[in-house]
Amino acid sequence: MLFDRPSAKKFEEIKVDGFDDPVSDAAEIGKTVFQRIEGTETVRVVKHFGTKPSVTIPEAVTVSKVPYSVTEIGENAFAGLSEMTSITLPDSIESIGESAFSGCVGLTEIYVPRGIKNIRGRAFAGCKGITRIVMKDSPETIGKSSFEGCSSLRTFVIEKGKGNFTSDTYGSMYDGEMKTLIRVPYGIEGTADIPPGVEEISDGAFSGCTELTSVRIPASVRMIGDKVFSGCRKLALLYVDPRNKRYRSDLQGILYDSKVTEVIRAPNSIAGVLDVPNTVRTIRSNAFEGCSGLVSISIPVSTNVIGDSAFEGCSKVRSINFSGGVTRIGNCAFMNCSGIISVTIPDSVETIGDKAFYGCSRLNSVSLPISARIGEQAFPVNSDIVME
């Protein structure tokens, strides 16, 4: 009934903490500020200030005796409410805004309402207590990094509807046809077997899975995105089905394209001397990131590009041998390789990215071509740089 709905006398301009300007067409009801969506009889949640652990958002509110359906959760509306442990959203919600629940570390489960259409970028970023996310219907869009930093997340449950996403029995997120693996839960442990039939692995699909130890890639996969395994610090094996026509792996578990012209990712367990195969043209971004057991690296003349953060955090590397083929050393390519004492950059190098050798605390001798374009903070300030 109308009189059971939360209500306010009128919409007005309200000064809201955290906002530079007053919020127009707003009504404060309880500990929540709602804003009328122009031209409609709907409102969005602009900000919630309550301190109770359990929060329920109503399906509708009444302002000036007129009912308004609650259809949106606004940008940063609940951000940083660490004391909140549960949130109940009505099925009238169609959109969850950017960073709407970011940093809500007390949340353990999220039930996304049935009417949802859009989940914006970073909507639940940093909610490190969440273990399970249930979507009663598939959204149309899920923004970039919506669940970044949800380190305890074990499963997505997505009930396939008219939207573009679904999940499997292991709790991973896919496109509606299960052709593209979009996101694996951050809390996954041990081995991940990508099911047959998957054709694409999206950018960052396994990034931040700190307990992941191995991944099996089926013959069906024909595209692997960027930074797929970034931050997987316990990754020990990448295995590709020998029937795969686009990718392959070697005995060390290093992942390549089928012709071994591109290094995609090495397991963090790789150690000792690294001789990059002499067919490799590109070392992808983050390819050897965190391989702390490496002690020396030899780059062949065939290699032209060393991607961003390609060897970041290889802290025991003492020597790098560049042959004369490299033209670009990416941003942060060797950042925090604290064991390097000296390095000679070949004349072929045209670009050295920002912070390429930043954090190489023992690097005291650098020789590089005078023609090279050098990014900001590319070398430690105490390095003796000779340009020839």
Side-chain angles (χ1 to χ4, degrees):
M1 297 178 62
L2 183 61
F3 57 81
D4 288 329
R5 295 191 179 105
S7 62
K9 291 183 178 180
K10 63 178 180 178
F11 287 112
E12 57 188 328
E13 189 174 83
I14 297 176
K15 176 63 178 173
V16 178
D17 289 345
F19 286 68
D20 293 334
D21 299 313
V23 178
S24 60
D25 269 348
E28 186 170 350
I29 302 173
K31 296 293 184 179
T32 306
V33 177
F34 298 88
Q35 183 182 40
R36 179 167 51 188
I37 299 173
E38 186 177 357
T40 71
E41 291 186 355
T42 65
V43 293
R44 68 171 59 89
V45 176
V46 174
K47 196 71 178 177
H48 179 77
F49 297 101
T51 57
K52 293 183 178 180
S54 181
V55 177
T56 298
I57 298 300
E59 187 170 350
V61 296
T62 301
V63 181
S64 301
K65 299 183 179 181
V66 178
Y68 291 85
S69 179
V70 182
T71 60
E72 296 183 15
I73 303 297
E75 180 178 333
N76 294 301
F78 294 85
L81 295 183
S82 58
E83 68 278 1
M84 185 171 63
T85 58
S86 70
I87 176 74
T88 301
L89 301 174
D91 285 343
S92 59
I93 296 293
E94 298 179 355
S95 178
I96 297 176
E98 186 171 344
S99 301
F101 295 93
S102 64
C104 293
V105 295
L107 291 175
T108 57
E109 287 191 333
I110 291 293
Y111 287 83
V112 178
R114 190 175 300 280
I116 196 70
K117 293 181 179 178
N118 305 301
I119 297 176
R120 305 299 182 187
R122 297 186 58 80
F124 297 94
C127 294
K128 61 184 181 181
I130 291 177
T131 61
R132 188 167 180 255
I133 294 176
V134 179
M135 301 183 192
K136 298 177 182 178
D137 203 351
S138 168
E140 295 174 5
T141 62
I142 297 177
K144 187 176 181 180
S145 304
S146 290
F147 308 101
E148 182 180 2
C150 296
S151 55
S152 299
L153 182 61
R154 295 302 180 93
T155 186
F156 291 100
V157 179
I158 306 174
E159 299 177 15
K160 181 77 174 78
K162 296 180 180 179
N164 299 319
F165 304 91
T166 190
S167 60
D168 65 8
T169 55
Y170 299 100
S172 294
M173 183 194 300
Y174 300 83
D175 70 322
E177 298 180 349
M178 287 196 69
K179 298 291 186 182
T180 301
L181 173 59
I182 296 172
R183 179 68 238 181
V184 171
Y186 286 85
I188 190 172
E189 297 179 354
T191 298
D193 286 303
I194 299 173
V198 171
E199 297 178 357
E200 299 184 8
I201 303 174
S202 293
D203 294 351
F206 290 86
S207 64
C209 293
T210 57
E211 299 300 315
L212 180 71
T213 58
S214 64
V215 178
R216 295 181 182 273
I217 299 171
S220 56
V221 170
R222 55 184 177 82
M223 195 286 287
I224 297 175
D226 292 331
K227 299 182 180 180
V228 167
F229 304 103
S230 177
C232 299
R233 62 192 183 198
K234 292 186 179 180
L235 187 61
L237 175 67
L238 289 163
Y239 173 81
V240 180
D241 188 312
R243 296 170 294 177
N244 191 299
K245 296 180 179 180
R246 297 290 183 95
Y247 301 98
R248 64 184 296 178
S249 55
D250 64 12
L251 294 175
Q252 293 179 290
I254 300 175
L255 176 62
Y256 304 91
D257 67 324
S258 61
K259 296 182 179 179
V260 195
T261 61
E262 185 177 45
V263 182
I264 298 168
R265 178 68 197 192
N268 286 54
S269 59
I270 191 171
V273 176
L274 173 66
D275 290 310
V276 176
N278 60 15
T279 54
V280 170
R281 297 174 185 172
T282 301
I283 299 174
R284 266 206 202 181
S285 297
N286 305 91
F288 294 91
E289 175 196 17
C291 293
S292 57
L294 290 177
V295 295
S296 71
I297 301 167
S298 291
I299 310 293
V301 69
S302 63
T303 301
N304 306 127
V305 176
I306 299 174
D308 296 347
S309 300
F311 294 93
E312 181 179 343
C314 295
S315 56
K316 293 182 182 178
V317 169
R318 295 184 180 181
S319 65
I320 307 169
N321 178 27
F322 292 98
S323 297
V326 176
T327 59
R328 178 182 179 274
I329 298 174
N331 298 332
C332 308
F334 296 92
M335 188 168 77
N336 293 330
C337 292
S338 53
I340 301 173
I341 296 173
S342 65
V343 65
T344 299
I345 309 295
D347 292 341
S348 60
V349 172
E350 299 171 359
T351 302
I352 301 172
D354 295 345
K355 296 187 176 181
F357 292 86
Y358 184 86
C360 297
S361 55
R362 299 180 65 193
L363 181 58
N364 55 37
S365 176
V366 179
S367 176
L368 70 162
I370 196 169
S371 59
R373 295 190 297 274
I374 304 173
E376 294 184 8
Q377 297 180 294
F379 300 98
V381 294
N382 60 337
S383 296
D384 182 13
I385 299 176
V386 176
M387 304 183 71
E388 298 177 347

